[in-house]
Amino acid sequence: MKYLKSRWVKAVAVLFVAAVGAWLGIVLSGTVRAQIGPVETGMSLRPAWQGETIVDASPLGTLSFRTHDAPLRLRITLENIDQEQAKTLIEDPRLADRLPGILERDLRDGIELLVIRSLLCAGAGALVATVLVFRRPRVALLGLLAASVALAGTGAAAALTFHPNSVLEPRYSGLVAAAPSLVGSAESIVTKFESYRAQLTKLVTNVSKLYDTVNDLTVYNADPTSIRVLHISDIHLNPIAWNVIRSMRDQFKVDLIVDTGDISDHGSKPENKFVEEIGKLGVPYVFVRGNHDSLTTQRAVAKQKNAIVLDDKSVTVNGLRIYGLGDPRFTPDKSVAVDSDPDSLLEYGRSHAVRQAAPDLVAVHDPTVARGFSGTTPMVLAGHAHDRSTTVLPTGTRVLVQGSTGGAGLRALEHAAPTPVQASVLYFDKTTKRLQAWDDVTLGGLGEQSVYIQRHVEREPGRMISPAPTNAPSPTGSVTGTMTPSTGPPLWHEGQSSPMLQRSPTEDVRNRM
């Protein structure tokens, strides 16, 4: 009896040591890199109390699916997106039709490689652990056999309890924790890809509802007769921007919106549907083309009922005479040489400025082009830098560079720190048409929910605007950006501060929500 009891104790000990070794082997197996369509992923398999699949889409958050009942957790981390490949898949109808099959094949290959690697590491872990503890090869082989049987049983349980419809019932955490549940039905990602894509679109759209906290912002007391202009820029196809714009339109009671370009990312025809939200805003929407907007994009914007596209044109909107000039470049088209030399862009602005009667407001995309209007207008709005800044030039002209109202779109996924969502409300005197004050609104980028408002009061709203000398040197100041060669963006990389636009002293009031 004691002998049998001793054997049972020893057998349990061997199983326990083998299980611990197998578990350590799986943990130490690391991550398998797999390319799933245009997305670079990292896959890992870990023991868990309950079976699930986690898709880590940082900085957006995570999605959890109860895909199986076996005690294994599959984690898929989205590490990078190949934007060129994604664009090709979207634009080419032949590839778009094959996309479900491509995703299925890539996902299956990645999981198969992960399973094989995990099994080998688990077996090696069980063998090493039993050898180290019992010092007997025969016992070690028994431990390996036991671990193999347990792993095979776990794998079979995962396969038999697989729930293909679990993709329809995800659990959200992180940024998407407050998003409403998805609606609709689909049998699987592979067989009903179009339905899945529609649900994914709803999910991304619902993310923007987190930013509805802007509705609770305190509006500073401003002259009720002032002309209120909402300045936005560089949306880059981010649907979050439309929720922010609608909320600010209502909360600040803006009279018009000025968009200084890059509403698109590649300027392609499939992206045109994105701009249809403009027609639902109900206020004049003044738009100038950015370097990521094609003429196709510009025409799509012009079709919206309340849109006003300015490209070397002037228009009077709600009492403000506005001149707009589209960017001369279209950088996504790599087949055409692009002149981004700062001197050329500055001269481009100057050559158009001299032909205009002094407008109340000028809208362009690039801050270097904006400097070309120095001395011809009190106020110039620009974007492009993805970093808000402002300065008063020696002539008296103020240049306000807006950040990215779309948090730089998909580009936000390429950086560890999120790009903030930025927009500004400008208050113009109804009689003099001069800027009196402006509110800078900053919302935390993807993964953050902070909201800031900063009030700036114009020190000298009635200052004299002096014509700029034709051979005037560039304004001096400390450089905050990175100089680039002539083939790159002028004076600084997109996403960095403009070296020529230094912040001026203002009266600030900050309200942190």
Side-chain angles (χ1 to χ4, degrees):
M1 190 70 178
K2 290 182 178 180
Y3 176 76
L4 291 176
K5 186 176 181 180
S6 176
R7 289 188 63 123
W8 274 108
V9 171
K10 187 174 182 179
V12 171
V14 170
L15 291 175
F16 176 77
V17 172
V20 171
W23 181 81
L24 288 175
I26 293 177
V27 170
L28 297 176
S29 64
T31 301
V32 170
R33 308 293 174 185
Q35 185 79 23
I36 302 178
V39 181
E40 296 176 14
T41 68
M43 295 183 179
S44 62
L45 196 63
R46 297 289 184 269
W49 292 113
Q50 66 177 22
E52 62 179 347
T53 297
I54 296 177
V55 179
D56 186 349
S58 296
L60 292 172
T62 61
L63 300 176
S64 301
F65 304 90
R66 290 296 304 273
T67 51
H68 55 277
D69 295 334
L72 291 173
R73 177 183 295 119
L74 171 64
R75 177 177 287 270
I76 302 175
T77 303
L78 309 185
E79 298 181 344
N80 194 20
I81 298 176
D82 187 336
Q83 295 189 31
E84 292 298 323
Q85 185 180 357
K87 178 184 175 184
T88 303
L89 289 171
I90 292 172
E91 292 183 354
D92 191 332
R94 294 170 298 177
L95 292 177
D97 293 338
R98 293 167 48 201
L99 184 56
I102 294 174
L103 295 178
E104 180 187 12
R105 182 199 64 207
D106 292 346
L107 184 61
R108 183 178 61 248
D109 292 345
I111 292 178
E112 286 178 355
L113 179 60
L114 175 64
V115 169
I116 293 173
R117 181 170 173 173
S118 298
L119 287 175
L120 291 176
C121 290
L127 183 63
V128 170
T130 49
V131 166
L132 291 176
V133 173
F134 297 101
R135 308 281 183 177
R136 295 174 61 183
R138 184 177 178 181
V139 174
L141 290 175
L142 289 175
L144 175 60
L145 177 61
S148 300
V149 172
L151 290 171
T154 303
L160 293 173
T161 60
F162 176 63
H163 309 301
N165 291 332
S166 61
V167 70
L168 305 178
E169 300 175 349
R171 184 172 67 254
Y172 311 96
S173 61
L175 175 66
V176 293
S181 300
L182 294 176
V183 295
S185 61
E187 294 179 7
S188 67
I189 297 177
V190 176
T191 60
K192 295 291 184 181
F193 180 74
E194 287 301 319
S195 178
Y196 170 75
R197 184 166 62 183
Q199 294 187 56
L200 183 61
T201 301
K202 291 175 184 176
L203 170 61
V204 174
T205 302
N206 285 339
V207 168
S208 64
K209 293 184 178 179
L210 290 179
Y211 290 100
D212 282 348
T213 52
V214 77
N215 284 323
D216 298 324
L217 298 178
T218 301
V219 179
Y220 297 102
N221 293 325
D223 185 350
T225 64
S226 60
I227 304 170
R228 304 185 181 205
V229 178
L230 175 58
H231 178 204
I232 63 175
S233 192
D234 295 83
I235 293 176
H236 287 291
L237 295 179
N238 193 339
I240 288 175
W242 296 125
N243 288 65
V244 174
I245 292 168
R246 284 192 292 268
S247 296
M248 292 186 65
R249 173 204 62 191
D250 297 337
Q251 186 67 19
F252 290 90
K253 298 179 174 60
V254 301
D255 299 296
L256 67 143
I257 300 170
V258 176
D259 183 345
T260 47
D262 276 4
I263 194 173
S264 181
D265 223 1
H266 301 286
S268 62
K269 189 174 180 180
E271 294 172 301
N272 289 348
K273 189 172 181 60
F274 180 79
V275 308
E276 292 178 1
E277 291 293 325
I278 294 173
K280 304 174 185 177
L281 294 175
V283 294
Y285 190 99
V286 179
F287 174 81
V288 294
R289 186 180 66 251
N291 63 294
H292 280 265
D293 303 319
S294 64
L295 291 176
T296 300
T297 306
Q298 180 172 290
R299 286 190 291 268
V301 173
K303 291 179 181 179
Q304 308 311 310
K305 60 183 179 181
N306 55 314
I308 302 170
V309 174
L310 298 181
D311 190 10
D312 195 19
K313 293 180 181 178
S314 295
V315 66
T316 299
V317 184
N318 288 334
L320 279 181
R321 180 173 174 80
I322 306 173
Y323 171 78
L325 179 64
D327 199 273
R329 304 158 298 172
F330 179 53
T331 52
D333 186 358
K334 305 303 180 183
S335 65
V336 178
V338 174
D339 186 3
S340 292
D341 178 70
D343 292 335
S344 298
L345 292 173
L346 184 62
E347 183 56 35
Y348 178 75
R350 286 174 176 167
S351 64
H352 287 81
V354 297
R355 302 201 301 262
Q356 302 302 317
D360 302 315
L361 180 65
V362 170
V364 297
H365 179 65
D366 195 292
T368 307
V369 177
R371 286 174 43 233
F373 288 84
S374 177
T376 64
T377 180
M379 186 80 190
V380 185
L381 302 181
H384 184 67
H386 300 172
D387 185 30
R388 186 165 47 210
S389 60
T390 186
T391 191
V392 177
L393 300 177
T395 60
T397 295
R398 177 178 290 281
V399 177
L400 173 61
V401 180
Q402 190 55 264
S404 173
T405 310
L410 290 178
R411 299 157 186 259
L413 299 175
E414 299 173 355
H415 310 289
T419 302
V421 175
Q422 297 182 320
S424 301
V425 179
L426 289 65
Y427 303 93
F428 290 85
D429 185 270
K430 196 170 185 178
T431 303
T432 64
K433 309 300 190 295
R434 288 296 189 93
L435 181 70
Q436 303 297 305
W438 70 98
D439 292 330
D440 284 337
V441 179
T442 302
L443 296 94
L446 297 176
E448 297 181 355
Q449 298 181 47
S450 59
V451 181
Y452 300 89
I453 298 181
Q454 191 167 6
R455 161 62 58 93
H456 306 266
V457 177
E458 185 69 278
R459 294 282 187 172
E460 299 179 81
R463 64 185 176 275
M464 181 179 295
I465 308 299
S466 306
T470 55
N471 59 348
S474 299
T476 58
S478 60
V479 177
T480 59
T482 303
M483 297 297 289
T484 62
S486 59
T487 56
L491 299 181
W492 64 93
H493 295 302
E494 288 196 23
Q496 293 180 326
S497 302
S498 162
M500 306 307 298
L501 303 180
Q502 308 302 318
R503 298 185 184 276
S504 61
T506 55
E507 297 177 6
D508 301 331
V509 179
R510 175 167 291 184
N511 179 25
R512 179 170 182 171
M513 304 301 290

